[in-house]
Each structure stands twice: as C-alpha cells, then as structure tokens.
Amino acid sequence: MAYILLAEDDQSLSDGLTRTLQHGGHTIDSANNGIDAEFAASCNLYDLLILDIGLPQRDGLTVLANLRRDGKSLPVLILTARDTPEDRIHGLDLGANDYLCKPFNIGELEARIRALLRKEKWANQTEVRCGSLTLNTRANRFSVGDQPLELSPREYLVLELLLQRRGRVVFKNDLIEHLSSLDRDLSSNALDIVIHRLRKKLEQSGCVVQTVKGLGFIIE
Ligand code: CA
C-alpha cells in the first residue's frame, strides 16, 4: 500500500517493525544510520519516513532538517527514546509530522501511520467531488447527491484510487496492487467485474469510468 523508509539502528526493533509493516501490505526499505537514511530519502519517492532520532553517524533531527532544507515534503514520523516537551517542539519545528516515544505500542504506531498516509493522500481535503459523487475522506463514505452509495470493499478501494488520480489513467496493475490487502492475486477479469459493477452504481452520478484500451481506467 505504501512505500516506507524505516531509519532505526536498533536491529531487533527494525526487524520487528519491518515484519509488522510488511504484513500490513507496505513495502519497507530500512537504513541503520543517518547518512544512509538521508541518502535513501533523497533518491527515492517514499510515502513516509519513520525516523529514529538517536541514529549513528548523523542524528535523526539533522537528517530531518537536511531533507526539509532540500525541499523534501514526505511525511516524517519521529521515534525517540527521549521525551521532553523541548524535544517534541524541536522535532515538530523542524518539520516532523508526528512523534512517538519509545517504548510504543505497535497498534498505536500503525494507527498513526494510517492517519499520516490518509492525510497525505487527500492533502487535508475532507470532501472530494466528481459530478454529484462525493467522498467524505474523514468518514470514508461515498455518496451520490445526498444518498449514501453502498459499495463492496473492492468497489470502494477501486473508486478511491480512481478518484485520487482523477483525470489520469490508472493502470490495471496499480488497481490490482491497491486491492492486494483484500485479495492476494486478483485476476484482471475479476477487476473488470468490479469496474462493471461500479459503472452501474455510478450511472446517476455524472461520473464515468472510461476504459483506456490496453492500459487501465480513468474517471471523468
Ligand atoms: Ca537509536
């Protein structure tokens, strides 16, 4: 679902987090020192950086300051063993998006990651519209006019990605990957069936899902 860089020098913590996040469908790169972390974050388009402050070679706050100075806007979640208000303020001032103190609960970390990725995805829009179709990004509900639109989980995920990339072609493989949290190996035919059902449900909305032959779909 997301491409995440994990910068953490505690090997057992890093391995454990990597396994958990991979299990949640994310792709994880890891770095165990600040120089490697900064290099990786400058070269790749990550959806999120999880950044330990106490890193060898270059500490996490310097890495964060350098990335922001270079115009990298990816969301950054700081992990730290230190927890004073000054540390938090400093981290947030440097451009961290969230802050979690060690030891932390893995469920809380996952919830914060979800929140950061959601925020990023819709750039703080609470409502996204296409014709009379509306997505309430807080409630994760679609409606057409003032009527709620009932969707299956597959239909929801497909429509969400199409809307997120409105006006652009969404490749079939991207949609299949987007659905991988529900179905490990969704066939291309099964995706076509989801699209067919969505088209029916969107008939009254003014939104049309067009097929772009050989590539994928686009919502207009
Ligand atoms: Ca550390």
Side-chain angles (χ1 to χ4, degrees), residues 36-54:
D36 286 354
E38 190 177 320
F39 182 71
S42 329
C43 303
N44 299 296
L45 282 175
Y46 293 106
D47 299 307
L48 175 70
L49 166 61
I50 301 175
L51 181 63
D52 179 33
I53 287 190

PDB file of all heavy atoms in Angstrom, residues 36-54:
ATOM      1  N   ASP A  36      22.914   6.981   5.598  1.00  0.00           N
ATOM      2  CA  ASP A  36      22.189   6.118   4.647  1.00  0.00           C
ATOM      3  C   ASP A  36      20.720   6.529   4.543  1.00  0.00           C
ATOM      4  O   ASP A  36      20.128   6.507   3.461  1.00  0.00           O
ATOM      5  CB  ASP A  36      22.248   4.647   5.093  1.00  0.00           C
ATOM      6  CG  ASP A  36      23.632   4.047   4.857  1.00  0.00           C
ATOM      7  OD1 ASP A  36      24.475   4.734   4.249  1.00  0.00           O
ATOM      8  OD2 ASP A  36      23.849   2.900   5.303  1.00  0.00           O
ATOM      9  N   ALA A  37      20.137   6.890   5.685  1.00  0.00           N
ATOM     10  CA  ALA A  37      18.723   7.271   5.699  1.00  0.00           C
ATOM     11  C   ALA A  37      18.503   8.513   4.836  1.00  0.00           C
ATOM     12  O   ALA A  37      17.599   8.562   4.003  1.00  0.00           O
ATOM     13  CB  ALA A  37      18.259   7.538   7.129  1.00  0.00           C
ATOM     14  N   GLU A  38      19.371   9.515   5.028  1.00  0.00           N
ATOM     15  CA  GLU A  38      19.214  10.757   4.267  1.00  0.00           C
ATOM     16  C   GLU A  38      19.415  10.500   2.778  1.00  0.00           C
ATOM     17  O   GLU A  38      18.668  11.011   1.937  1.00  0.00           O
ATOM     18  CB  GLU A  38      20.205  11.807   4.778  1.00  0.00           C
ATOM     19  CG  GLU A  38      19.935  13.178   4.196  1.00  0.00           C
ATOM     20  CD  GLU A  38      20.884  14.230   4.758  1.00  0.00           C
ATOM     21  OE1 GLU A  38      21.182  14.207   5.974  1.00  0.00           O
ATOM     22  OE2 GLU A  38      21.333  15.070   3.951  1.00  0.00           O
ATOM     23  N   PHE A  39      20.405   9.678   2.457  1.00  0.00           N
ATOM     24  CA  PHE A  39      20.683   9.365   1.054  1.00  0.00           C
ATOM     25  C   PHE A  39      19.479   8.667   0.419  1.00  0.00           C
ATOM     26  O   PHE A  39      19.013   9.053  -0.656  1.00  0.00           O
ATOM     27  CB  PHE A  39      21.938   8.495   0.949  1.00  0.00           C
ATOM     28  CG  PHE A  39      22.313   8.185  -0.467  1.00  0.00           C
ATOM     29  CD1 PHE A  39      22.837   9.174  -1.300  1.00  0.00           C
ATOM     30  CD2 PHE A  39      22.138   6.903  -0.979  1.00  0.00           C
ATOM     31  CE1 PHE A  39      23.169   8.896  -2.617  1.00  0.00           C
ATOM     32  CE2 PHE A  39      22.460   6.618  -2.305  1.00  0.00           C
ATOM     33  CZ  PHE A  39      22.980   7.607  -3.123  1.00  0.00           C
ATOM     34  N   ALA A  40      18.957   7.648   1.116  1.00  0.00           N
ATOM     35  CA  ALA A  40      17.820   6.892   0.575  1.00  0.00           C
ATOM     36  C   ALA A  40      16.607   7.803   0.392  1.00  0.00           C
ATOM     37  O   ALA A  40      15.921   7.752  -0.633  1.00  0.00           O
ATOM     38  CB  ALA A  40      17.473   5.728   1.496  1.00  0.00           C
ATOM     39  N   ALA A  41      16.362   8.690   1.378  1.00  0.00           N
ATOM     40  CA  ALA A  41      15.179   9.562   1.300  1.00  0.00           C
ATOM     41  C   ALA A  41      15.339  10.617   0.205  1.00  0.00           C
ATOM     42  O   ALA A  41      14.351  11.125  -0.320  1.00  0.00           O
ATOM     43  CB  ALA A  41      14.929  10.227   2.649  1.00  0.00           C
ATOM     44  N   SER A  42      16.591  10.946  -0.148  1.00  0.00           N
ATOM     45  CA  SER A  42      16.783  11.934  -1.221  1.00  0.00           C
ATOM     46  C   SER A  42      16.622  11.302  -2.592  1.00  0.00           C
ATOM     47  O   SER A  42      16.331  11.989  -3.558  1.00  0.00           O
ATOM     48  CB  SER A  42      18.172  12.571  -1.182  1.00  0.00           C
ATOM     49  OG  SER A  42      18.667  12.650   0.099  1.00  0.00           O
ATOM     50  N   CYS A  43      16.866   9.992  -2.679  1.00  0.00           N
ATOM     51  CA  CYS A  43      16.867   9.341  -4.001  1.00  0.00           C
ATOM     52  C   CYS A  43      15.544   8.685  -4.364  1.00  0.00           C
ATOM     53  O   CYS A  43      15.300   8.408  -5.527  1.00  0.00           O
ATOM     54  CB  CYS A  43      17.919   8.250  -4.079  1.00  0.00           C
ATOM     55  SG  CYS A  43      19.561   8.801  -3.731  1.00  0.00           S
ATOM     56  N   ASN A  44      14.727   8.361  -3.354  1.00  0.00           N
ATOM     57  CA  ASN A  44      13.505   7.598  -3.632  1.00  0.00           C
ATOM     58  C   ASN A  44      12.272   8.397  -3.242  1.00  0.00           C
ATOM     59  O   ASN A  44      12.345   9.269  -2.386  1.00  0.00           O
ATOM     60  CB  ASN A  44      13.514   6.284  -2.844  1.00  0.00           C
ATOM     61  CG  ASN A  44      14.686   5.414  -3.232  1.00  0.00           C
ATOM     62  OD1 ASN A  44      14.791   4.968  -4.355  1.00  0.00           O
ATOM     63  ND2 ASN A  44      15.587   5.205  -2.298  1.00  0.00           N
ATOM     64  N   LEU A  45      11.154   8.027  -3.885  1.00  0.00           N
ATOM     65  CA  LEU A  45       9.895   8.705  -3.572  1.00  0.00           C
ATOM     66  C   LEU A  45       9.124   7.896  -2.530  1.00  0.00           C
ATOM     67  O   LEU A  45       8.247   7.113  -2.872  1.00  0.00           O
ATOM     68  CB  LEU A  45       9.046   8.844  -4.836  1.00  0.00           C
ATOM     69  CG  LEU A  45       9.463   9.961  -5.787  1.00  0.00           C
ATOM     70  CD1 LEU A  45       8.620   9.902  -7.048  1.00  0.00           C
ATOM     71  CD2 LEU A  45       9.333  11.333  -5.125  1.00  0.00           C
ATOM     72  N   TYR A  46       9.479   8.075  -1.268  1.00  0.00           N
ATOM     73  CA  TYR A  46       8.770   7.349  -0.215  1.00  0.00           C
ATOM     74  C   TYR A  46       7.460   8.053   0.131  1.00  0.00           C
ATOM     75  O   TYR A  46       7.355   9.274   0.028  1.00  0.00           O
ATOM     76  CB  TYR A  46       9.634   7.249   1.046  1.00  0.00           C
ATOM     77  CG  TYR A  46      10.855   6.391   0.867  1.00  0.00           C
ATOM     78  CD1 TYR A  46      12.116   6.953   0.747  1.00  0.00           C
ATOM     79  CD2 TYR A  46      10.728   5.001   0.790  1.00  0.00           C
ATOM     80  CE1 TYR A  46      13.240   6.156   0.556  1.00  0.00           C
ATOM     81  CE2 TYR A  46      11.837   4.204   0.600  1.00  0.00           C
ATOM     82  CZ  TYR A  46      13.085   4.778   0.489  1.00  0.00           C
ATOM     83  OH  TYR A  46      14.180   3.995   0.289  1.00  0.00           O
ATOM     84  N   ASP A  47       6.499   7.245   0.597  1.00  0.00           N
ATOM     85  CA  ASP A  47       5.240   7.822   1.085  1.00  0.00           C
ATOM     86  C   ASP A  47       5.397   8.289   2.522  1.00  0.00           C
ATOM     87  O   ASP A  47       4.616   9.112   2.992  1.00  0.00           O
ATOM     88  CB  ASP A  47       4.122   6.777   1.031  1.00  0.00           C
ATOM     89  CG  ASP A  47       3.872   6.298  -0.392  1.00  0.00           C
ATOM     90  OD1 ASP A  47       3.668   7.159  -1.260  1.00  0.00           O
ATOM     91  OD2 ASP A  47       3.902   5.075  -0.633  1.00  0.00           O
ATOM     92  N   LEU A  48       6.396   7.729   3.216  1.00  0.00           N
ATOM     93  CA  LEU A  48       6.561   8.030   4.641  1.00  0.00           C
ATOM     94  C   LEU A  48       7.970   7.661   5.084  1.00  0.00           C
ATOM     95  O   LEU A  48       8.527   6.671   4.623  1.00  0.00           O
ATOM     96  CB  LEU A  48       5.538   7.204   5.450  1.00  0.00           C
ATOM     97  CG  LEU A  48       5.623   7.272   6.977  1.00  0.00           C
ATOM     98  CD1 LEU A  48       5.189   8.645   7.471  1.00  0.00           C
ATOM     99  CD2 LEU A  48       4.731   6.202   7.611  1.00  0.00           C
ATOM    100  N   LEU A  49       8.507   8.488   5.997  1.00  0.00           N
ATOM    101  CA  LEU A  49       9.777   8.160   6.645  1.00  0.00           C
ATOM    102  C   LEU A  49       9.526   7.990   8.140  1.00  0.00           C
ATOM    103  O   LEU A  49       8.975   8.892   8.786  1.00  0.00           O
ATOM    104  CB  LEU A  49      10.792   9.284   6.393  1.00  0.00           C
ATOM    105  CG  LEU A  49      12.060   9.293   7.260  1.00  0.00           C
ATOM    106  CD1 LEU A  49      12.891   8.028   7.077  1.00  0.00           C
ATOM    107  CD2 LEU A  49      12.917  10.525   6.913  1.00  0.00           C
ATOM    108  N   ILE A  50       9.896   6.823   8.669  1.00  0.00           N
ATOM    109  CA  ILE A  50       9.858   6.610  10.126  1.00  0.00           C
ATOM    110  C   ILE A  50      11.287   6.776  10.601  1.00  0.00           C
ATOM    111  O   ILE A  50      12.189   6.047  10.175  1.00  0.00           O
ATOM    112  CB  ILE A  50       9.325   5.204  10.464  1.00  0.00           C
ATOM    113  CG1 ILE A  50       7.919   5.025   9.883  1.00  0.00           C
ATOM    114  CG2 ILE A  50       9.312   4.984  11.974  1.00  0.00           C
ATOM    115  CD1 ILE A  50       7.354   3.621  10.063  1.00  0.00           C
ATOM    116  N   LEU A  51      11.504   7.788  11.442  1.00  0.00           N
ATOM    117  CA  LEU A  51      12.867   8.245  11.706  1.00  0.00           C
ATOM    118  C   LEU A  51      13.182   8.224  13.199  1.00  0.00           C
ATOM    119  O   LEU A  51      12.591   8.971  13.988  1.00  0.00           O
ATOM    120  CB  LEU A  51      12.993   9.677  11.152  1.00  0.00           C
ATOM    121  CG  LEU A  51      14.320  10.390  11.268  1.00  0.00           C
ATOM    122  CD1 LEU A  51      15.411   9.670  10.473  1.00  0.00           C
ATOM    123  CD2 LEU A  51      14.181  11.835  10.743  1.00  0.00           C
ATOM    124  N   ASP A  52      14.138   7.365  13.556  1.00  0.00           N
ATOM    125  CA  ASP A  52      14.639   7.355  14.928  1.00  0.00           C
ATOM    126  C   ASP A  52      15.524   8.592  15.111  1.00  0.00           C
ATOM    127  O   ASP A  52      16.277   8.966  14.200  1.00  0.00           O
ATOM    128  CB  ASP A  52      15.446   6.064  15.131  1.00  0.00           C
ATOM    129  CG  ASP A  52      16.046   5.967  16.519  1.00  0.00           C
ATOM    130  OD1 ASP A  52      15.410   6.460  17.477  1.00  0.00           O
ATOM    131  OD2 ASP A  52      17.140   5.394  16.643  1.00  0.00           O
ATOM    132  N   ILE A  53      15.426   9.246  16.265  1.00  0.00           N
ATOM    133  CA  ILE A  53      16.281  10.423  16.488  1.00  0.00           C
ATOM    134  C   ILE A  53      17.713   9.997  16.797  1.00  0.00           C
ATOM    135  O   ILE A  53      18.672  10.546  16.264  1.00  0.00           O
ATOM    136  CB  ILE A  53      15.721  11.299  17.638  1.00  0.00           C
ATOM    137  CG1 ILE A  53      14.460  12.026  17.161  1.00  0.00           C
ATOM    138  CG2 ILE A  53      16.774  12.327  18.073  1.00  0.00           C
ATOM    139  CD1 ILE A  53      13.969  13.085  18.110  1.00  0.00           C
ATOM    140  N   GLY A  54      17.845   8.983  17.651  1.00  0.00           N
ATOM    141  CA  GLY A  54      19.193   8.570  18.053  1.00  0.00           C
ATOM    142  C   GLY A  54      19.821   7.612  17.065  1.00  0.00           C
ATOM    143  O   GLY A  54      19.884   6.412  17.300  1.00  0.00           O
TER     144      GLY A  54
END
